Amino acid sequence: MIRERKKKRSGPTRKEAILEMATVFFAEKGFRNTAIGDIARNIGVADGTVFYHYRTKEDLFVAVLENFKEELIRESRDYLAAGEFADGLEMVVGLIGFYLSLAARMEERFLLLHRHYPYQLAEANPACRRHLEDIYDFFASTYEQAIRRGQEDGSIRELPAHKTALIIFTMVDGLVRIGTYRLYQPGSLYDELVASCRRMLQPDKV
Amino acid sequence: MIRERKKKRSGPTRKEAILEMATVFFAEKGFRNTAIGDIARNIGVADGTVFYHYRTKEDLFVAVLENFKEELIRESRDYLAAGEFADGLEMVVGLIGFYLSLAARMEERFLLLHRHYPYQLAEANPACRRHLEDIYDFFASTYEQAIRRGQEDGSIRELPAHKTALIIFTMVDGLVRIGTYRLYQPGSLYDELVASCRRMLQPDKV
DNA sequence: AAAAACAATCTGAGTAGTCAGTCAGTATTT
DNA sequence: AAATACTGACTGACTACTCAGATTGTTTTT
């Protein structure tokens, strides 16, 4: 079989192609409903090739999760580095908008986090658990920093920063989930969500 | 085989036993990871018996969901009928507490709603979709009623009742989910959640 | 430069296992 | 006798993973 050279920068390597295709399938159909053969066939590769690069299906899943985590965190860091926020409260609002835009842009991949499988796997697989914790810790601590900043500059009232961060993150992530389920049309909730958070965080008027 | 009589009130019928055991397995292990044989073996019944009462595995799942929906709504109605609330805001707070206690009491069954499978099935299976919509509509509209009542009695400010109801429900349900995943210890978030909601809903002090 | 040796990558038929659903026949109830 | 409830061996389809051998890429030797 004639195969394109691959080390010489001609697109993704096969290992990368497998990871990408696996991401699509795991997100869209779930772990159990994805056959290794689905992935292999879709990139024109033999089943065995998948197992050459990833020891087991589970390993492949964890690699997909790790890859997604890294992209998530990288993009978020970029946003935070570029963004200038008037105060802590505006930073919280900015983060909410960013998370929602990220979820819209990576809609398919976010499904990975909104399925039950990874959390189940996390109980038996420490690597999986670590990736999930990394993701949640990253966002929770980012919200927390914004809240503390707001408390210093007076845009946010005194309240437990960590707990409040978790509550806001839960809220925003829940909104994304509702959108995915298509039980409600979600888009219109954004403005109200931001307004609710402002009321929740702002100091009482004096 | 000697079999206990069943129509004569000696415990659940076999059909009911199958439904119960299926609930446990679908909730705990998911649809795809539950084999009909698991259910049958655990109640000492042949595989064929399950298919005698439920045409397919999918039908059985929808029956489980319907059953859960009915219990959820029945219990909630009982709570609402019994509860006396000082005003609309206290009713919202009461509902939050009730939902969390329900989720704790039916922890296993709530997993049914926190898996992705039912929402995926809903896209192809109208009965499944209807049950999910019934559940979400019920809770959303209950919160909405409480908010409207609060707006009449002055305990809640002017805000879009329906959207706010969805936001609060999302928040509370998200809290339950976080608890299930065991990534954070959730219990301690309850007080802060209620405090956040009060701030979100209360009129500005004048 | 060609050949040979070595290493890395890939292949796909094969294995062993699982499981939803069927059905012909048996047991129980009415 | 008829209807209903139940059985469990069987079928057909699927699938994770293996492995012996093929192909390709790189390095060393001649």
Side-chain angles (χ1 to χ4, degrees):
Chain A
M1 180 200 170
I2 293 130
R3 191 186 306 158
E4 300 206 358
R5 43 168 78 195
K6 62 186 170 352
K7 272 292 171 59
K8 289 290 189 66
R9 307 272 95 212
S10 66
T13 64
R14 286 189 158 181
K15 191 172 180 183
E16 287 162 356
I18 291 168
L19 195 71
E20 267 174 49
M21 192 56 71
T23 307
V24 173
F25 271 92
F26 286 149
E28 215 146 71
K29 317 216 313 160
F31 181 79
R32 198 65 158 61
N33 274 302
T34 296
I36 293 293
D38 293 340
I39 298 168
R41 199 177 333 104
N42 268 275
I43 51 180
V45 139
D47 289 20
T49 307
V50 176
F51 289 100
Y52 174 75
H53 289 291
Y54 300 93
R55 205 176 51 84
T56 64
K57 192 181 173 189
E58 193 177 303
D59 282 0
L60 176 55
F61 184 85
V62 173
V64 164
L65 192 62
E66 177 168 24
N67 187 252
F68 181 46
K69 167 186 102 177
E70 276 158 12
E71 194 173 339
L72 262 186
I73 293 184
R74 187 176 350 103
E75 295 240 11
S76 304
R77 280 200 216 287
D78 288 354
Y79 169 77
L80 287 168
E84 284 171 22
F85 306 104
D87 56 32
L89 182 59
E90 291 315 311
M91 184 170 167
V92 171
V93 171
L95 280 170
I96 292 173
F98 172 72
Y99 191 81
L100 291 176
S101 73
L102 207 61
R105 184 149 49 86
M106 305 184 178
E107 188 181 358
E108 190 186 69
R109 259 138 62 246
F110 262 69
L111 264 175
L112 284 172
L113 294 182
H114 289 162
R115 287 182 175 278
H116 194 266
Y117 179 74
Y119 305 94
Q120 195 162 312
L121 183 59
E123 285 174 24
N125 185 317
C128 177
R129 185 179 177 87
R130 217 193 59 239
H131 296 317
L132 290 175
E133 282 176 347
D134 285 350
I135 293 172
Y136 283 91
D137 285 349
F138 175 81
F139 284 110
S141 73
T142 307
Y143 278 111
E144 190 176 334
Q145 280 163 40
I147 290 171
R148 288 194 199 285
R149 176 172 153 187
Q151 289 177 330
E152 274 164 35
D153 66 32
S155 60
I156 295 180
R157 73 168 71 203
E158 284 309 309
L159 36 68
H162 181 67
K163 288 181 179 180
T164 306
L166 283 181
I167 287 173
I168 292 180
F169 181 56
T170 294
M171 231 162 105
V172 179
D173 195 56
L175 194 74
V176 172
R177 212 181 293 256
I178 274 197
T180 323
Y181 293 165
R182 298 178 204 298
L183 289 175
Y184 295 106
Q185 61 281 34
S188 51
L189 282 180
Y190 171 72
D191 289 341
E192 198 48 39
L193 181 81
V194 170
S196 299
C197 285
R198 284 186 191 278
R199 263 177 262 133
M200 192 191 284
L201 299 175
Q202 269 167 350
D204 287 327
K205 280 162 191 153
V206 190
Chain B
M1 178 200 170
I2 294 129
R3 191 188 305 156
E4 301 206 358
R5 44 169 76 194
K6 65 189 167 355
K7 273 292 172 58
K8 288 290 187 65
R9 305 272 99 212
S10 66
T13 64
R14 286 193 157 180
K15 191 172 179 183
E16 287 162 356
I18 291 167
L19 196 71
E20 267 174 50
M21 191 56 70
T23 307
V24 173
F25 271 92
F26 286 149
E28 215 146 71
K29 317 216 313 163
F31 181 79
R32 200 62 161 64
N33 275 302
T34 296
I36 293 294
D38 292 340
I39 299 168
R41 199 176 334 106
N42 268 275
I43 50 180
V45 139
D47 289 19
T49 307
V50 176
F51 288 101
Y52 175 76
H53 290 291
Y54 300 93
R55 204 175 51 84
T56 64
K57 192 182 174 188
E58 192 176 303
D59 282 359
L60 175 56
F61 183 85
V62 173
V64 164
L65 191 62
E66 176 169 25
N67 186 251
F68 181 46
K69 167 186 103 178
E70 277 159 11
E71 192 172 341
L72 261 186
I73 293 184
R74 187 175 350 103
E75 293 240 11
S76 303
R77 278 200 215 289
D78 289 352
Y79 169 77
L80 286 169
E84 283 171 23
F85 306 103
D87 56 32
L89 182 59
E90 291 314 312
M91 184 170 167
V92 172
V93 171
L95 280 170
I96 293 173
F98 171 72
Y99 191 81
L100 291 177
S101 72
L102 208 61
R105 184 148 50 86
M106 305 184 178
E107 188 181 357
E108 189 185 71
R109 260 140 58 247
F110 262 68
L111 263 174
L112 283 172
L113 295 181
H114 289 162
R115 288 183 176 276
H116 194 266
Y117 179 76
Y119 305 94
Q120 195 162 314
L121 182 60
E123 283 172 24
N125 184 317
C128 177
R129 184 179 178 88
R130 217 193 60 238
H131 297 317
L132 290 175
E133 282 178 346
D134 285 351
I135 292 171
Y136 282 90
D137 286 349
F138 175 80
F139 284 111
S141 75
T142 307
Y143 278 111
E144 189 177 334
Q145 280 165 39
I147 291 172
R148 288 194 198 287
R149 176 171 152 188
Q151 289 176 329
E152 275 163 36
D153 66 32
S155 59
I156 295 181
R157 72 169 71 203
E158 284 310 307
L159 36 68
H162 181 67
K163 288 181 180 179
T164 305
L166 283 180
I167 287 172
I168 292 181
F169 181 56
T170 295
M171 230 163 105
V172 179
D173 195 56
L175 194 74
V176 173
R177 213 181 292 257
I178 275 197
T180 324
Y181 293 167
R182 301 180 202 297
L183 288 175
Y184 296 106
Q185 62 280 36
S188 50
L189 282 180
Y190 171 71
D191 289 340
E192 198 49 39
L193 182 83
V194 170
S196 300
C197 285
R198 284 185 192 277
R199 263 178 263 134
M200 192 190 283
L201 299 175
Q202 270 166 351
D204 285 327
K205 280 160 192 155
V206 192

